[in-house]
């Protein structure tokens, strides 16, 4: 079957999609977006986390046909433009700076999930809230401390940016 | 495999009537795992996501009608005060990503004895609204679970909503697992106090072939509690309640836990959940 999905702001179509195929497979294998990772295919690891209509979900558990006509944002879509230094989202930048990336396999899912936490929390989240939000994202390398550092750093910067924007004269 | 995409409820019923073997898919958090791990290929998927009416809930009198498409995240965010027991259970399901997709209707469809919705639904006396092209049927929750991963739905029926009485007293859900998140229950327990009727509701999860109530424990406790005076709970009564709850279970040994551990933890959870609930009730004073 053919499936149309708004991916990172662009209307894309995938052809020859098998009816039992996951959104993750379509993104990676048919639409050339390998950011979201495939590790468990059973919702346990969170490496495939993407936004579906604004909410983070495991792309491996969404049937491709269920994404028809809906909006998907992947880790690729959080960065803007081609300049990798300038274009990164604060969350992406913070993961690099805090040393929260080792093999990097879990990183795209963590970044989308952390991005959602930060966007939906007005204040800088407490560590307990960060742990709770990331409970469904597994990392085999880092031991999580630096990941939590990265989320705290990104949240702090985003809060500062927002405060600065408010203060700036129009 | 076919992918069926009804846009309205009537269309969904028509599809299901024509293809009773089609597997409904809501959040997909059970269905997709099966497909991904090749544990069985449905002949067809019947996607219920496009049917927007399923994602609504409404308070109808003293009952909340929760549409089949309401996710755990929304239950937690929107129904915490009307349905505290169910919302507490929802909070323990999987991860945020799973809660953003998974639904109570899907939990009922899967009918796993370990499903976290079941104990609070039993404790509050929910009713499942099932429908087919032949008509609508209201199934009391106690009659819904018919065996391990089996339920009372006919092949052409779909769950449209779950009707859950709004809480009239304290409700608690308690769950044992190997970590604090992302765990399937080793066993679980829910209690609901129904002070108006001087009645107790209970639900036991993951400790019998189906989720079930502990009826003898409910009846014993209802008769022992000082409903009017709201005096402190007698520890002997609480202990006996825990024992009766464990007696209502018939657990097995499996990878998640041994039967004797399940029985022991059930009696402890029941006693503690009662303690929290009674503390709330007694603390509230006469209203
Ligand atoms: C990583 C992970 C963690 C999990 N943790 C928990 C947990 O802690 N506690 C827990 O209880 N569960 C857990 N689950 C299981 C699952 O998330 C729940 O059972 C959830 O409630 C299923 O809802 P869904 O909408 O995703 O169902 P789906 O997968 O869409 O469907 C599940 C079943 O219900 C049927 N169905 C769905 N909607 C209807 C309908 N309207 N009418 C008739 N039949 C229908 C389907 O055909 C299927 O048989 C977990 C799953 C994963 C992948
Ligand atoms: S690949 Fe989707 S959760 Fe692991
Ligand atoms: S960095 Fe390797 S899995 Fe997280």
């Amino acid at each position: 079957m053919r499936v149309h999905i708004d991916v990172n702001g662009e209307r894309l179509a995938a052809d020859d999609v098998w009816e039992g195929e996951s959104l993750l497979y379509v993104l990676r294998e048919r639409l050339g977006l390998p950011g979201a990772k495939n590790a468990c295919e059973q919702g346990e690891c969170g490496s495939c986390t993407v936004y579906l209509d604004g909410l983070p979900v495991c792309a491996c558990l969404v049937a491709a046909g269920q994404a028809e006509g809906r909006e998907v944002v992947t880790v690729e879509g959080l960065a803007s433009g081609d300049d990798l230094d300038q274009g990164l989202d604060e969350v992406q930048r913070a993961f690099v700076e805090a040393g929260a990336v080792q093999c990097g396999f879990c990183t795209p899912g963590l970044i989308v999930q952390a991005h959602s936490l930060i966007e939906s929390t007005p204040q800088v989240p407490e560590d307990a809230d960060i742990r709770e939000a990331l409970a469904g994202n597994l990392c085999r390398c880092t031991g999580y401390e630096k990941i939590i550092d990265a989320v705290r750093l990104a949240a702090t910067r985003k809060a500062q940016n927002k405060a600065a924007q408010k203060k700036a004269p129009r | 495999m076919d992918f069926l995409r009804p846009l309205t409820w009537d269309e969904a019923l028509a599809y299901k009537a024509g293809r009773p073997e089609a597997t409904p898919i809501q959040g997909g958090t059970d269905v997709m795992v099966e497909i991904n791990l090749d544990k069985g290929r449905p002949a067809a998927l019947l996607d219920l996501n496009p049917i927007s009416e399923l994602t609504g809930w409404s308070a109808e009198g003293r009952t909340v009608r929760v549409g089949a498409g309401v996710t755990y995240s929304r239950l937690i965010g929107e129904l915490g005060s009307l349905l505290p027991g169910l919302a507490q259970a929802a909070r323990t399901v999987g991860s945020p990503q799973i809660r953003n997709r998974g639904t109570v209707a899907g939990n009922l469809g899967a009918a796993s004895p370990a499903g976290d919705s079941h104990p609070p639904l039993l404790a509050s006396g929910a009713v499942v609204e099932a429908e087919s092209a032949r008509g609508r049927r209201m199934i009391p929750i106690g009659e819904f679970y018919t065996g391990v991963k089996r339920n009372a739905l006919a092949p052409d029926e779909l769950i449209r909503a779950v009707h859950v009485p709004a809480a009239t007293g304290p409700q608690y859900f308690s769950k044992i697992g190997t970590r604090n998140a992302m765990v399937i229950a080793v066993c679980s327990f829910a209690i609901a106090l129904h002070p108006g009727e001087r009645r107790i509701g209970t639900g036991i999860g993951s400790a019998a072939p189906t989720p079930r109530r502990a009826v003898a424990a409910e009846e014993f406790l209802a008769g022992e509690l000082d409903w009017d005076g709201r005096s402190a709970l007698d520890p002997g009564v609480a202990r006996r309640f825990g024992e009766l709850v464990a007696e209502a279970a018939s657990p097995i040994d499996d990878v998640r836990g041994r039967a004797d551990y399940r029985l022991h933890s059930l009696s402890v959870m029941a006693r503690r959940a009662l303690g929290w609930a009674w503390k709330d009730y007694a603390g509230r004073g006469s209203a």
Side-chain angles (χ1 to χ4, degrees):
Chain A
M1 63 179 175
R2 168 174 261 222
V3 177
H4 310 83
I5 316 175
D6 274 318
V7 187
N8 300 328
E10 207 183 329
R11 183 79 160 181
L12 301 178
D15 281 311
D16 302 321
V17 175
W18 175 57
E19 286 71 16
E21 205 163 293
S22 69
L23 169 62
L24 179 63
Y25 191 91
V26 169
L27 291 171
R28 292 178 54 83
E29 310 296 336
R30 303 198 188 274
L31 299 176
L33 290 164
K37 295 286 178 280
N38 178 2
C40 74
E41 292 198 286
Q42 47 183 312
E44 295 282 346
C45 75
S47 3
C48 64
T49 305
V50 301
Y51 279 109
L52 175 66
D53 286 346
L55 292 175
V57 303
C58 297
C60 70
L61 299 184
V62 177
Q66 294 189 291
E68 172 68 39
R70 295 169 78 171
E71 283 177 21
V72 171
V73 176
T74 68
V75 70
E76 289 98 337
L78 296 182
S80 53
D82 289 333
D83 182 338
L84 275 189
D85 280 335
Q86 296 301 313
L88 289 187
D89 184 84
E90 288 292 4
V91 184
Q92 293 168 314
R93 207 188 311 270
F95 267 68
V96 176
E97 283 179 34
V101 182
Q102 285 189 27
C103 82
F105 208 81
C106 65
T107 312
L110 272 162
I111 285 181
V112 173
Q113 182 61 22
H115 184 272
S116 150
L117 168 73
I118 294 170
E119 294 299 320
S120 61
T121 326
Q123 272 91 35
V124 177
E126 306 279 334
D127 281 10
D129 297 327
I130 299 177
R131 285 175 194 277
E132 176 83 28
L134 303 185
N137 292 78
L138 299 183
C139 172
R140 295 297 302 271
C141 305
T142 65
Y144 300 104
E145 289 307 323
K146 292 202 189 306
I147 291 171
I148 292 170
D149 290 345
V151 178
R152 219 188 287 112
L153 177 64
T156 310
R157 285 204 186 135
K158 285 205 177 189
Q160 283 166 352
N161 292 350
K162 258 186 236 161
Q165 270 168 13
K166 259 191 209 155
K167 264 193 216 142
R170 278 183 227 179
Chain B
M1 194 187 289
D2 293 319
F3 196 87
L4 310 174
R5 237 176 140 258
L7 298 179
T8 65
W9 179 250
D10 286 342
E11 238 183 293
L13 294 181
Y15 270 127
K16 191 70 170 132
R19 301 281 306 270
E21 78 286 3
T23 299
I25 178 167
Q26 184 58 255
T29 60
D30 281 315
V31 171
M32 287 304 288
V33 172
E34 302 254 307
I35 296 176
N36 289 345
L37 303 187
D38 225 349
K39 283 191 194 160
R41 280 208 178 159
L45 287 176
L46 178 65
D47 181 20
L48 301 177
N49 281 195
I51 306 169
S52 54
E53 69 146 84
L54 294 181
T55 62
W57 62 266
S58 55
E60 297 174 355
R62 299 226 47 82
T63 297
V64 186
R65 181 176 181 272
V66 182
V70 174
T71 60
Y72 291 115
S73 295
R74 291 197 40 223
L75 250 169
I76 297 165
E78 300 165 32
L79 289 168
S81 51
L82 283 171
L83 308 176
L86 191 58
Q88 280 175 33
R91 256 177 231 122
T92 76
V93 172
S95 61
Q97 291 95 319
I98 299 296
R99 296 194 288 272
N100 280 340
R101 294 287 294 158
T103 60
V104 172
N107 218 219
L108 287 166
S112 157
D116 288 320
S117 313
H118 312 317
L121 291 178
L122 285 163
S124 51
V127 176
V128 179
E129 181 183 337
E131 199 169 336
S132 71
R134 295 173 293 121
R136 194 173 72 137
R137 203 154 66 99
M138 301 298 282
I139 309 172
I141 194 71
E143 295 165 23
F144 186 79
Y145 312 107
T146 54
V148 178
K149 302 195 176 178
R150 299 172 64 89
N151 62 38
L153 292 179
D156 62 344
E157 276 180 323
L158 294 171
I159 299 170
R160 187 169 194 169
V162 188
H163 297 245
V164 193
T168 55
Q171 302 187 341
Y172 280 96
F173 174 76
S174 181
K175 168 174 169 182
I176 303 260
T178 42
R179 69 181 263 228
N180 233 342
M182 290 290 273
V183 285
I184 298 181
V186 173
C187 59
S188 60
F189 178 74
I191 190 168
L193 266 52
H194 305 288
E197 305 141 57
R198 303 275 188 271
R199 202 167 55 76
I200 300 293
T202 59
I204 296 174
S206 224
T210 64
R212 57 164 74 150
R213 284 164 59 196
V215 176
E218 293 176 2
E219 285 168 1
F220 161 77
L221 185 61
E224 294 290 332
L225 291 173
D226 177 15
W227 291 101
D228 294 320
R230 300 180 192 236
S231 57
L233 191 63
D234 176 348
V237 168
R239 207 173 316 114
R240 183 68 194 136
F241 174 66
E243 286 166 10
L244 287 171
V245 167
E247 277 172 30
S250 47
I252 53 167
D253 292 335
D254 69 10
V255 287
R256 292 199 302 276
R258 286 210 328 249
D260 56 356
Y261 174 72
R262 288 191 155 105
L263 290 176
H264 173 71
S265 49
L266 261 181
S267 66
V268 174
M269 281 193 294
R271 180 159 48 79
R272 286 191 190 151
L274 167 62
W276 302 325
W278 191 256
K279 193 164 166 245
D280 286 359
Y281 179 72
R284 242 174 249 172
S286 47

